Amino acid sequence: MTGHHPGRSRRATERKGDVRERSILDTCEALLAQKGYDAMTVGDLAQGAGITRGALYFYFGSKQEVVTALVARTVEHLWERSRATAQAEEPRQAIAAAMQRTVELWNEHGLVMRTAIDLSLTVPEIGELWQHTADLFIEAITAVLERAGIQAGAKPYQAPAMARSLCWMIERTFYHASQESREELRQASATCEHIWLTSAGLIT
């Protein structure tokens, strides 16, 4: 029995820690909407999560670390939703599915996505996260283009270069549309999907 209780206690502590960390990140997302990144403080984060500043520092060393973790959680959701795109059999369906999943996440977490883009040039950890996410999407877009018959290679009109341009076009288009309304985002998604289909030679 003596060997059983410490293990159970550790598991309970880990679960409690997971709940607290999630609460801090959820609070951070809410405060981004209410105050913005610059005005938000560690005290605000602790108060919103129902813990002391000292307790918050047990999980994160700074406001920047909290936001970085929030971005990491969000982009992981983005990639999880779009992971099947590269493996989908039919390019048209793959493109439609990718755009649908992406617009859903921008509707849910557009503020976090815009914050990630805004901070990507000044916060190296966020910049690396965002670039890694872009690289994954470029790889997935490349696979769809190649499956649609676009040639592989390093030339400007071949699949990898086209995929890079499509990825960054989608990012910038969604960034602006998400600040307007869900309808603007829906229309922007439809436009990006049309451009991707055209680039793949699937519509003329």
Side-chain angles (χ1 to χ4, degrees), residues 65-84:
E65 281 191 16
V66 178
V67 174
T68 301
L70 176 61
V71 171
R73 183 177 75 171
T74 305
V75 297
E76 178 60 25
H77 290 331
L78 176 62
W79 181 238
E80 282 175 2
R81 293 188 187 190
S82 302
R83 200 181 301 275

Side-chain angles (χ1 to χ4, degrees), residues 85-162:
T85 299
Q87 288 79 36
E89 293 182 5
E90 204 277 312
R92 281 179 180 271
Q93 293 175 354
I95 292 168
M99 296 308 301
Q100 178 62 32
R101 294 182 186 115
T102 304
V103 78
E104 284 172 1
L105 197 75
W106 274 87
N107 272 326
E108 294 168 16
H109 303 289
L111 183 58
V112 178
M113 310 281 268
R114 292 196 302 272
T115 300
I117 293 167
D118 291 341
L119 296 178
S120 62
L121 295 178
T122 57
V123 180
E125 295 84 358
I126 292 178
E128 290 171 12
L129 273 170
W130 200 249
Q131 183 61 57
H132 177 62
T133 302
D135 289 342
L136 292 172
F137 271 88
I138 290 166
E139 182 180 324
I141 295 169
T142 299
V144 174
L145 290 173
E146 289 178 358
R147 213 159 52 247
I150 304 300
Q151 194 175 19
K155 295 182 179 177
Y157 53 84
Q158 293 175 326
M162 291 174 65

